[in-house]
Amino acid sequence: MRLRAALLLAAAMAGPAAAPVAARADRGVAVGSKAFAESWILGDALAAAMREAGVSAVVHRRNLGGTEIVLQALRSGNVDVYPEYTGTVQEVVLHAPRALSPAEMRSSLARIGLGMSEPIGFDDSYAIAVTPQAARRYGLRLLSDLARHPEVRLGLTHEFLGRADGFPGLAARYGLSRRNVTGIQHELAYAAMASGKIDATDIYTTDAQIERMGLVVLRDDRAFFPRYDAVWLYRLDLARREPHAMAALRRLTGTIDQARMIRANARVVLGGAESPAVAESLLAEISGTGAPAPTTADRGGRTARIARNTLQHLKLVSLSLVAAVLIGVPLGVAAARSRWIGGPVLAAAGLAQTVPSLALLAVLIPLLGIGVLPALVALFLYSLLPIVRNTYVGLTTIPPPLIESAACLPLSARAQLTRIRLPLASPAILAGIRTSAVINVGSATLAALIGAGGLGEPILSGIQLRRNDLILEGAIPAALLALLVERAFDLADRMVVPKGLRLAAGAGAKRRRRGADSSKIEGESTLEANHDPDAPIERNS
């Protein structure tokens, strides 16, 4: 009953983002983009073009991680279209063992309900770039030169390290050493090169930093990298649902050449311009009007953006925490009553806690799509262990004399639990809820990776753009929120925990500070001395 209530509460408060895919069909078009500036600009441009074409409701869901996440979002219907590259379609989406023609790619994509547009107009291939100093020091001009210098320090993105058309294939083709290879986030690699920490990294050929830093792009003399023509990947049902959206998509094909894309990237990455504003300028340039249309992107400026992200962050934390309390406390009670239940329950909660957060999100996306719902489920799972374990410990460490006194009262087992044992265990239970709340405030920043928003949005954007002001725009409110949660639980502690227990806890703390075990002198017992974690509550009592 409590589980159903929690799920209903979460679904009701999560709002439209958690709605099933089928219900999304009537709410317009969702454009997706990956977590880098070029993808944001293209997504914003397509969303603006669709609005101009008369599509009633268009939403741009940006920062959806890498290819795997945004592709899962497209296949599950959480987004309808996003910008992709033909090389990625061949290697990552279709896992083709050989080079495919565009017609073969479209035929294979159609079998999974997806379509691919004509090229947008530019090729954004992978390449390896080295610093000018390293190029001079080792005489590097070709990728073949790298094989003769295994001492060159390579900082490569994690996606490039894992893709068949990335470093594994490149190393096999050119005979490269893996001795000095380090995994690093793409934008941070440029900072590492500027500081001399690494000599080379994988780049996209439209990156604005290539020219600004004077990097040397090594020529692919054995023709390893395929073409990466930018295209639109879309759901085949989009043409039927929103023909105006498809018309806008087709109008943007063949219109953005490499020079235009590099300039647009530079304005966002180097100039600090907002991606929607740059996208509107790009559309104005394409249409020949020469003047950018008024931007509608930044609704209310920085203050409104912080308020909006903080509100969304609070929503994620509070909903997942409420669900964890409604389910975790009863599980802790059940675990305290029987070792046969307690062992598996505590082990399962502990197992959920050990799964890395990114891995958990990746597992949930095929089941729940992207957005608020999978983020809530992940945060709920991470919240469970402190609540379940503290409830269990709180109930199994109640001093035996108190349990014996309660047993003498004419109360049912349920009344003894709710009126005596749970209030006595309330300090431990509240401490577990407090721990879960603080963990959730930090973990919820990762929800931005799957389109759930919150304070992780500016942090991710700041990392991509290497802008500390954006990183602090998310980090400072998150830290303040954690402190606010701490203070709120201090207040809750005064309201919920009986005064006698608080005084006893305070006296115990004073005794520990004096370093004296006065409880034994006075004939009292400590919680630790009486607690047998493997015994049911009746035995401890």
Side-chain angles (χ1 to χ4, degrees):
M1 192 67 184
R2 286 188 179 90
L3 173 61
R4 189 166 60 179
L7 292 176
L8 288 173
L9 177 65
M13 296 182 68
V21 173
R24 275 204 64 261
D26 299 328
R27 298 209 314 272
V29 178
V31 179
S33 63
K34 300 182 188 179
F36 58 90
E38 183 171 290
S39 196
W40 305 339
I41 296 168
L42 292 174
D44 282 324
L46 180 59
M50 286 180 177
R51 293 187 191 101
E52 289 177 5
V55 179
S56 57
V58 182
V59 60
H60 178 196
R61 310 186 77 171
R62 64 173 63 210
N63 259 337
L64 297 178
T67 301
E68 290 296 340
I69 291 179
V70 71
L71 178 64
Q72 287 291 350
L74 182 70
R75 296 189 64 175
S76 63
N78 290 98
V79 301
D80 297 298
V81 56
Y82 79 94
E84 190 51 278
Y85 304 91
T86 51
T88 302
V89 171
Q90 177 177 300
E91 299 291 339
V92 181
V93 178
L94 299 176
H95 302 286
R98 60 174 179 83
L100 300 177
S101 68
E104 289 174 317
M105 290 186 197
R106 291 191 181 92
S107 176
S108 298
L109 288 169
R111 289 196 283 271
I112 54 176
L114 303 181
M116 185 180 82
S117 74
E118 294 296 324
I120 295 173
F122 64 93
D123 171 29
D124 188 5
S125 177
Y126 271 123
I128 299 295
V130 299
T131 61
Q133 298 82 1
R136 285 193 299 271
R137 187 183 310 130
Y138 302 111
L140 302 176
R141 290 185 307 104
L142 311 173
L143 281 174
S144 299
D145 296 334
L146 276 180
R148 293 192 293 273
H149 295 282
E151 65 272 28
V152 173
R153 297 165 299 171
L154 295 170
L156 306 177
T157 59
H158 297 94
E159 182 170 356
F160 188 76
L161 284 170
R163 292 171 56 139
D165 59 337
F167 188 70
L170 186 72
R173 177 71 63 88
Y174 285 93
L176 302 182
S177 167
R178 300 170 185 267
R179 192 177 67 192
N180 284 317
V181 176
T182 305
I184 191 170
Q185 209 269 344
H186 182 62
E187 278 64 29
L188 298 181
Y190 287 112
M193 293 178 86
S195 63
K197 301 293 184 187
I198 59 174
D199 300 313
T201 189
D202 57 301
I203 59 158
Y204 307 117
T205 51
T206 57
D207 283 353
Q209 294 93 334
I210 300 172
E211 183 176 348
R212 190 193 69 159
M213 298 176 64
L215 301 179
V216 177
V217 181
L218 302 182
R219 188 158 63 83
D220 184 10
D221 51 314
R222 295 183 186 173
F224 170 73
F225 291 116
R227 284 187 64 82
Y228 288 80
D229 290 307
V231 294
W232 302 107
L233 274 193
Y234 56 90
R235 293 177 60 81
L236 287 177
D237 63 352
L238 182 61
R240 174 180 51 79
R241 289 194 295 112
E242 288 287 354
H244 293 301
M246 283 301 297
L249 184 152
R250 293 190 185 100
R251 278 200 296 275
L252 280 186
T253 58
T255 57
I256 303 175
D257 60 23
Q258 193 144 0
R260 277 178 173 161
M261 197 67 247
I262 291 175
R263 285 199 302 273
N265 286 338
R267 289 187 61 194
V268 174
V269 177
L270 304 179
E274 296 288 341
S275 165
V278 172
E280 289 177 347
S281 295
L282 191 61
L283 289 178
E285 187 180 346
I286 292 169
S287 65
T289 59
T295 180
T296 56
D298 199 2
R299 293 170 288 163
R302 185 183 296 266
T303 303
R305 195 167 60 227
I306 292 174
R308 193 166 57 246
N309 288 333
T310 303
L311 188 63
Q312 177 69 5
H313 206 84
L314 270 173
K315 181 175 161 183
L316 293 171
V317 171
S318 56
L319 285 176
S320 58
L321 188 65
V322 167
V325 170
L326 290 176
I327 295 172
V329 171
L331 283 177
V333 171
R337 283 186 174 278
S338 166
R339 67 167 57 187
W340 300 109
I341 298 175
V345 165
L346 292 173
L351 183 64
Q353 189 86 12
T354 61
V355 178
S357 51
L358 285 178
L360 182 59
L361 290 175
V363 169
L364 290 174
I365 287 172
L367 302 174
L368 303 173
I370 62 169
V372 172
L373 186 57
L376 286 176
V377 172
L379 292 173
F380 160 76
L381 291 174
Y382 280 122
S383 303
L384 268 185
L385 180 62
I387 297 174
V388 173
R389 181 169 286 280
N390 276 40
T391 302
Y392 169 81
V393 171
L395 289 172
T396 54
T397 54
I398 297 174
L402 295 179
I403 297 296
E404 291 169 0
S405 300
C408 296
L409 298 175
L411 294 173
S412 64
R414 182 186 182 88
Q416 285 195 28
L417 175 68
T418 57
R419 296 184 184 182
I420 297 175
R421 298 189 180 190
L422 283 177
L424 289 172
S426 59
I429 297 173
L430 204 59
I433 298 173
R434 179 200 296 249
T435 302
S436 292
V438 174
I439 289 174
N440 266 9
V441 170
S443 301
T445 55
L446 292 174
L449 282 173
I450 55 172
L455 293 168
E457 281 277 2
I459 294 175
L460 285 178
S461 299
I463 292 173
Q464 296 293 330
L465 302 176
R466 288 182 294 144
R467 284 178 50 186
N468 289 336
D469 62 320
L470 276 179
I471 295 174
L472 294 176
E473 185 179 308
I476 290 177
L480 293 176
L481 201 57
L483 292 175
L484 188 63
V485 167
E486 284 281 353
R487 296 297 300 167
F489 273 93
D490 285 341
L491 182 62
D493 191 74
R494 294 177 179 280
M495 296 174 64
V496 174
V497 178
K499 185 177 179 181
L501 291 177
R502 294 203 307 274
L503 293 176
K510 288 179 181 177
R511 284 198 297 273
R512 285 193 293 274
R513 283 197 294 272
R514 288 198 303 267
D517 188 0
S518 59
S519 62
K520 291 182 179 178
I521 297 173
E522 296 170 5
E524 296 178 0
S525 59
T526 62
L527 297 181
E528 293 80 1
N530 288 308
H531 174 57
D532 177 1
D534 295 326
I537 189 169
E538 290 77 8
R539 181 173 177 179
N540 282 316
S541 65

